[in-house]
Amino acid sequence: FEITKNLEIFNNIYREINTYYVDPVDPGELMHSTIDTMLKRLDPYTKYIPESEIEDFRFQTTGDYGGIGATIRKIDETVVIYEPYKDFPADKAGLQMGDGIIKINDTEIINANTEDVSELLKGSPGTIVNVEVNRGDKLLTFEITREKIHVPSVKYSSVLDGDIGYVKLRRFTKNCTQEVENSLKDLEIQTPLEGVILDLRANPGGLLNESINLANLFIPKNEVVVTTDGKNIEWKKKYITKKEPKYPEIPIIILVNGASASASEIVAGAIQDLDRGIIIGNKTFGKGLVQQSRKLNYN
């Protein structure tokens, strides 16, 4: 009864404001701010993701997004192309490092931040975006067809002195465990590895199942990696390694810092608690919770 009553009261207030308020009201913006205010009463991690931000949400979990394939930075008052990824749309169209962005479609870029410019550049694969830039004393316009862009989870890997394999993992996105394994295989082709350094510094986490799979590269089968609790019975469970490890004995060090969170802490914690390796760095972020995504109407 309380839920029904309060929803009805809220619905009436919302209609009254839209009908009678003295100034024009954007219903979508009003609702968005209302939802955000409600969720702030709960905790920092419960978020509402509207349709306009769904691409960013997918990027967090998959490493894929629709865009032109370039990083941007703000230098003084200008947002510039920082790195066009090779063979992606920005590179193929001819954009270069240092190009100052002046206009995107019909929107002039004046005192804009990188987040706003990034939103304008992103879009569904196959759609066209027109980008006007300043290159030296020239004004150039590029018509770019957006594509599906995949940003690898493994940012960098190499063999260090002493035949130590080093792998930098930026995020726990879909299939990141396979990327780590492939990187280690490539390093082993260069030399038999005497140890592994897995760098999880500034890794904010990502998919829970990927943290279990990654730990399972080094941890034996049938070990408990993490347990979760929640309101629903299906959220009360133990996550156990299911496979024989690919690297059961190789010495391993995990690098962490204050920005290592969530799935990073699961992997580091399991490696430490099971005495499988050594953790080096600063105290991690402390995000001891799992977020579940729930679909709403209208995407």
Side-chain angles (χ1 to χ4, degrees), residues 3-19 30-31 34:
I3 291 173
T4 303
K5 181 184 81 172
N6 282 291
L7 282 174
E8 191 173 334
I9 291 170
F10 177 81
N11 185 50
N12 289 338
I13 292 171
Y14 190 58
R15 287 182 180 278
E16 292 291 318
I17 289 172
N18 279 300
T19 304
L30 181 64
M31 181 59 78
T34 304

PDB file of all heavy atoms in Angstrom, residues 3-19 30-31 34:
ATOM      1  N   ILE A   3       3.901   1.693  -1.117  1.00  0.00           N
ATOM      2  CA  ILE A   3       4.531   1.899  -2.428  1.00  0.00           C
ATOM      3  C   ILE A   3       3.525   2.476  -3.411  1.00  0.00           C
ATOM      4  O   ILE A   3       3.806   3.460  -4.110  1.00  0.00           O
ATOM      5  CB  ILE A   3       5.109   0.562  -2.952  1.00  0.00           C
ATOM      6  CG1 ILE A   3       6.298   0.139  -2.100  1.00  0.00           C
ATOM      7  CG2 ILE A   3       5.538   0.704  -4.417  1.00  0.00           C
ATOM      8  CD1 ILE A   3       6.829  -1.247  -2.417  1.00  0.00           C
ATOM      9  N   THR A   4       2.333   1.881  -3.471  1.00  0.00           N
ATOM     10  CA  THR A   4       1.303   2.349  -4.408  1.00  0.00           C
ATOM     11  C   THR A   4       0.892   3.785  -4.107  1.00  0.00           C
ATOM     12  O   THR A   4       0.766   4.630  -5.011  1.00  0.00           O
ATOM     13  CB  THR A   4       0.064   1.423  -4.341  1.00  0.00           C
ATOM     14  OG1 THR A   4       0.470   0.088  -4.619  1.00  0.00           O
ATOM     15  CG2 THR A   4      -0.987   1.855  -5.346  1.00  0.00           C
ATOM     16  N   LYS A   5       0.689   4.087  -2.828  1.00  0.00           N
ATOM     17  CA  LYS A   5       0.271   5.435  -2.427  1.00  0.00           C
ATOM     18  C   LYS A   5       1.315   6.479  -2.829  1.00  0.00           C
ATOM     19  O   LYS A   5       0.986   7.519  -3.427  1.00  0.00           O
ATOM     20  CB  LYS A   5       0.041   5.481  -0.913  1.00  0.00           C
ATOM     21  CG  LYS A   5      -0.430   6.853  -0.414  1.00  0.00           C
ATOM     22  CD  LYS A   5      -0.566   6.896   1.102  1.00  0.00           C
ATOM     23  CE  LYS A   5       0.786   7.125   1.751  1.00  0.00           C
ATOM     24  NZ  LYS A   5       0.673   7.352   3.215  1.00  0.00           N
ATOM     25  N   ASN A   6       2.577   6.198  -2.525  1.00  0.00           N
ATOM     26  CA  ASN A   6       3.623   7.184  -2.804  1.00  0.00           C
ATOM     27  C   ASN A   6       3.896   7.349  -4.301  1.00  0.00           C
ATOM     28  O   ASN A   6       4.215   8.439  -4.765  1.00  0.00           O
ATOM     29  CB  ASN A   6       4.901   6.805  -2.064  1.00  0.00           C
ATOM     30  CG  ASN A   6       4.835   7.158  -0.587  1.00  0.00           C
ATOM     31  OD1 ASN A   6       4.836   8.318  -0.221  1.00  0.00           O
ATOM     32  ND2 ASN A   6       4.728   6.151   0.265  1.00  0.00           N
ATOM     33  N   LEU A   7       3.776   6.253  -5.056  1.00  0.00           N
ATOM     34  CA  LEU A   7       3.907   6.375  -6.511  1.00  0.00           C
ATOM     35  C   LEU A   7       2.792   7.251  -7.084  1.00  0.00           C
ATOM     36  O   LEU A   7       3.014   8.053  -7.997  1.00  0.00           O
ATOM     37  CB  LEU A   7       3.888   4.995  -7.160  1.00  0.00           C
ATOM     38  CG  LEU A   7       5.171   4.174  -7.078  1.00  0.00           C
ATOM     39  CD1 LEU A   7       4.945   2.774  -7.632  1.00  0.00           C
ATOM     40  CD2 LEU A   7       6.312   4.857  -7.814  1.00  0.00           C
ATOM     41  N   GLU A   8       1.578   7.100  -6.530  1.00  0.00           N
ATOM     42  CA  GLU A   8       0.454   7.906  -7.004  1.00  0.00           C
ATOM     43  C   GLU A   8       0.652   9.386  -6.656  1.00  0.00           C
ATOM     44  O   GLU A   8       0.389  10.273  -7.476  1.00  0.00           O
ATOM     45  CB  GLU A   8      -0.851   7.384  -6.387  1.00  0.00           C
ATOM     46  CG  GLU A   8      -2.091   7.976  -7.024  1.00  0.00           C
ATOM     47  CD  GLU A   8      -3.364   7.320  -6.523  1.00  0.00           C
ATOM     48  OE1 GLU A   8      -3.301   6.145  -6.102  1.00  0.00           O
ATOM     49  OE2 GLU A   8      -4.410   7.983  -6.557  1.00  0.00           O
ATOM     50  N   ILE A   9       1.142   9.650  -5.440  1.00  0.00           N
ATOM     51  CA  ILE A   9       1.423  11.035  -5.042  1.00  0.00           C
ATOM     52  C   ILE A   9       2.488  11.641  -5.957  1.00  0.00           C
ATOM     53  O   ILE A   9       2.345  12.767  -6.455  1.00  0.00           O
ATOM     54  CB  ILE A   9       1.882  11.085  -3.572  1.00  0.00           C
ATOM     55  CG1 ILE A   9       0.726  10.731  -2.640  1.00  0.00           C
ATOM     56  CG2 ILE A   9       2.433  12.473  -3.233  1.00  0.00           C
ATOM     57  CD1 ILE A   9       1.150  10.519  -1.194  1.00  0.00           C
ATOM     58  N   PHE A  10       3.549  10.872  -6.182  1.00  0.00           N
ATOM     59  CA  PHE A  10       4.634  11.367  -7.032  1.00  0.00           C
ATOM     60  C   PHE A  10       4.123  11.643  -8.448  1.00  0.00           C
ATOM     61  O   PHE A  10       4.458  12.659  -9.060  1.00  0.00           O
ATOM     62  CB  PHE A  10       5.778  10.355  -7.078  1.00  0.00           C
ATOM     63  CG  PHE A  10       6.899  10.761  -7.977  1.00  0.00           C
ATOM     64  CD1 PHE A  10       7.858  11.665  -7.554  1.00  0.00           C
ATOM     65  CD2 PHE A  10       6.989  10.266  -9.276  1.00  0.00           C
ATOM     66  CE1 PHE A  10       8.888  12.057  -8.387  1.00  0.00           C
ATOM     67  CE2 PHE A  10       8.013  10.655 -10.116  1.00  0.00           C
ATOM     68  CZ  PHE A  10       8.960  11.555  -9.675  1.00  0.00           C
ATOM     69  N   ASN A  11       3.322  10.738  -8.983  1.00  0.00           N
ATOM     70  CA  ASN A  11       2.777  10.896 -10.326  1.00  0.00           C
ATOM     71  C   ASN A  11       1.938  12.173 -10.430  1.00  0.00           C
ATOM     72  O   ASN A  11       2.039  12.930 -11.413  1.00  0.00           O
ATOM     73  CB  ASN A  11       1.924   9.668 -10.671  1.00  0.00           C
ATOM     74  CG  ASN A  11       1.421   9.699 -12.089  1.00  0.00           C
ATOM     75  OD1 ASN A  11       2.186   9.911 -13.020  1.00  0.00           O
ATOM     76  ND2 ASN A  11       0.122   9.490 -12.270  1.00  0.00           N
ATOM     77  N   ASN A  12       1.140  12.442  -9.395  1.00  0.00           N
ATOM     78  CA  ASN A  12       0.304  13.655  -9.394  1.00  0.00           C
ATOM     79  C   ASN A  12       1.158  14.912  -9.366  1.00  0.00           C
ATOM     80  O   ASN A  12       0.892  15.879 -10.091  1.00  0.00           O
ATOM     81  CB  ASN A  12      -0.654  13.635  -8.195  1.00  0.00           C
ATOM     82  CG  ASN A  12      -1.759  12.605  -8.359  1.00  0.00           C
ATOM     83  OD1 ASN A  12      -2.064  12.191  -9.474  1.00  0.00           O
ATOM     84  ND2 ASN A  12      -2.347  12.179  -7.246  1.00  0.00           N
ATOM     85  N   ILE A  13       2.205  14.915  -8.517  1.00  0.00           N
ATOM     86  CA  ILE A  13       3.086  16.080  -8.431  1.00  0.00           C
ATOM     87  C   ILE A  13       3.779  16.330  -9.766  1.00  0.00           C
ATOM     88  O   ILE A  13       3.863  17.469 -10.252  1.00  0.00           O
ATOM     89  CB  ILE A  13       4.131  15.883  -7.313  1.00  0.00           C
ATOM     90  CG1 ILE A  13       3.455  15.891  -5.943  1.00  0.00           C
ATOM     91  CG2 ILE A  13       5.209  16.968  -7.377  1.00  0.00           C
ATOM     92  CD1 ILE A  13       4.369  15.500  -4.803  1.00  0.00           C
ATOM     93  N   TYR A  14       4.246  15.269 -10.366  1.00  0.00           N
ATOM     94  CA  TYR A  14       4.957  15.367 -11.652  1.00  0.00           C
ATOM     95  C   TYR A  14       4.057  15.975 -12.729  1.00  0.00           C
ATOM     96  O   TYR A  14       4.458  16.863 -13.481  1.00  0.00           O
ATOM     97  CB  TYR A  14       5.424  13.961 -12.040  1.00  0.00           C
ATOM     98  CG  TYR A  14       6.377  13.880 -13.204  1.00  0.00           C
ATOM     99  CD1 TYR A  14       7.602  14.548 -13.183  1.00  0.00           C
ATOM    100  CD2 TYR A  14       6.051  13.115 -14.321  1.00  0.00           C
ATOM    101  CE1 TYR A  14       8.481  14.442 -14.248  1.00  0.00           C
ATOM    102  CE2 TYR A  14       6.930  13.007 -15.385  1.00  0.00           C
ATOM    103  CZ  TYR A  14       8.147  13.682 -15.350  1.00  0.00           C
ATOM    104  OH  TYR A  14       9.005  13.575 -16.407  1.00  0.00           O
ATOM    105  N   ARG A  15       2.801  15.504 -12.785  1.00  0.00           N
ATOM    106  CA  ARG A  15       1.848  16.035 -13.761  1.00  0.00           C
ATOM    107  C   ARG A  15       1.511  17.499 -13.472  1.00  0.00           C
ATOM    108  O   ARG A  15       1.427  18.325 -14.393  1.00  0.00           O
ATOM    109  CB  ARG A  15       0.565  15.195 -13.761  1.00  0.00           C
ATOM    110  CG  ARG A  15       0.730  13.828 -14.401  1.00  0.00           C
ATOM    111  CD  ARG A  15      -0.588  13.070 -14.417  1.00  0.00           C
ATOM    112  NE  ARG A  15      -0.419  11.768 -15.031  1.00  0.00           N
ATOM    113  CZ  ARG A  15      -0.413  11.535 -16.339  1.00  0.00           C
ATOM    114  NH1 ARG A  15      -0.575  12.560 -17.175  1.00  0.00           N
ATOM    115  NH2 ARG A  15      -0.261  10.329 -16.805  1.00  0.00           N
ATOM    116  N   GLU A  16       1.327  17.831 -12.193  1.00  0.00           N
ATOM    117  CA  GLU A  16       0.976  19.210 -11.832  1.00  0.00           C
ATOM    118  C   GLU A  16       2.083  20.186 -12.235  1.00  0.00           C
ATOM    119  O   GLU A  16       1.820  21.263 -12.754  1.00  0.00           O
ATOM    120  CB  GLU A  16       0.708  19.305 -10.320  1.00  0.00           C
ATOM    121  CG  GLU A  16      -0.536  18.583  -9.841  1.00  0.00           C
ATOM    122  CD  GLU A  16      -1.814  19.233 -10.318  1.00  0.00           C
ATOM    123  OE1 GLU A  16      -1.901  20.482 -10.290  1.00  0.00           O
ATOM    124  OE2 GLU A  16      -2.732  18.503 -10.760  1.00  0.00           O
ATOM    125  N   ILE A  17       3.338  19.786 -11.972  1.00  0.00           N
ATOM    126  CA  ILE A  17       4.468  20.652 -12.321  1.00  0.00           C
ATOM    127  C   ILE A  17       4.518  20.860 -13.829  1.00  0.00           C
ATOM    128  O   ILE A  17       4.674  21.997 -14.320  1.00  0.00           O
ATOM    129  CB  ILE A  17       5.794  20.045 -11.804  1.00  0.00           C
ATOM    130  CG1 ILE A  17       5.860  20.142 -10.278  1.00  0.00           C
ATOM    131  CG2 ILE A  17       6.997  20.754 -12.432  1.00  0.00           C
ATOM    132  CD1 ILE A  17       7.028  19.400  -9.665  1.00  0.00           C
ATOM    133  N   ASN A  18       4.389  19.777 -14.598  1.00  0.00           N
ATOM    134  CA  ASN A  18       4.464  19.883 -16.052  1.00  0.00           C
ATOM    135  C   ASN A  18       3.311  20.699 -16.634  1.00  0.00           C
ATOM    136  O   ASN A  18       3.464  21.355 -17.654  1.00  0.00           O
ATOM    137  CB  ASN A  18       4.478  18.487 -16.684  1.00  0.00           C
ATOM    138  CG  ASN A  18       5.848  17.839 -16.651  1.00  0.00           C
ATOM    139  OD1 ASN A  18       6.805  18.360 -17.198  1.00  0.00           O
ATOM    140  ND2 ASN A  18       5.939  16.706 -15.984  1.00  0.00           N
ATOM    141  N   THR A  19       2.152  20.671 -15.962  1.00  0.00           N
ATOM    142  CA  THR A  19       0.984  21.378 -16.482  1.00  0.00           C
ATOM    143  C   THR A  19       0.951  22.843 -16.045  1.00  0.00           C
ATOM    144  O   THR A  19       0.649  23.737 -16.848  1.00  0.00           O
ATOM    145  CB  THR A  19      -0.303  20.672 -16.013  1.00  0.00           C
ATOM    146  OG1 THR A  19      -0.256  19.299 -16.424  1.00  0.00           O
ATOM    147  CG2 THR A  19      -1.540  21.337 -16.615  1.00  0.00           C
ATOM    148  N   LEU A  30      13.891  16.757 -15.615  1.00  0.00           N
ATOM    149  CA  LEU A  30      13.325  16.811 -14.262  1.00  0.00           C
ATOM    150  C   LEU A  30      13.310  15.422 -13.635  1.00  0.00           C
ATOM    151  O   LEU A  30      13.703  15.238 -12.472  1.00  0.00           O
ATOM    152  CB  LEU A  30      11.908  17.383 -14.323  1.00  0.00           C
ATOM    153  CG  LEU A  30      11.179  17.537 -12.979  1.00  0.00           C
ATOM    154  CD1 LEU A  30      11.883  18.543 -12.094  1.00  0.00           C
ATOM    155  CD2 LEU A  30       9.731  17.943 -13.209  1.00  0.00           C
ATOM    156  N   MET A  31      12.889  14.422 -14.407  1.00  0.00           N
ATOM    157  CA  MET A  31      12.832  13.062 -13.884  1.00  0.00           C
ATOM    158  C   MET A  31      14.234  12.530 -13.592  1.00  0.00           C
ATOM    159  O   MET A  31      14.466  11.861 -12.578  1.00  0.00           O
ATOM    160  CB  MET A  31      12.112  12.153 -14.878  1.00  0.00           C
ATOM    161  CG  MET A  31      11.989  10.716 -14.409  1.00  0.00           C
ATOM    162  SD  MET A  31      11.084  10.542 -12.849  1.00  0.00           S
ATOM    163  CE  MET A  31       9.399  10.725 -13.424  1.00  0.00           C
ATOM    164  N   THR A  34      15.502  13.924 -10.405  1.00  0.00           N
ATOM    165  CA  THR A  34      14.744  13.361  -9.289  1.00  0.00           C
ATOM    166  C   THR A  34      15.245  11.963  -8.941  1.00  0.00           C
ATOM    167  O   THR A  34      15.448  11.625  -7.768  1.00  0.00           O
ATOM    168  CB  THR A  34      13.245  13.296  -9.654  1.00  0.00           C
ATOM    169  OG1 THR A  34      12.800  14.600 -10.017  1.00  0.00           O
ATOM    170  CG2 THR A  34      12.423  12.783  -8.485  1.00  0.00           C
TER     171      THR A  34
END
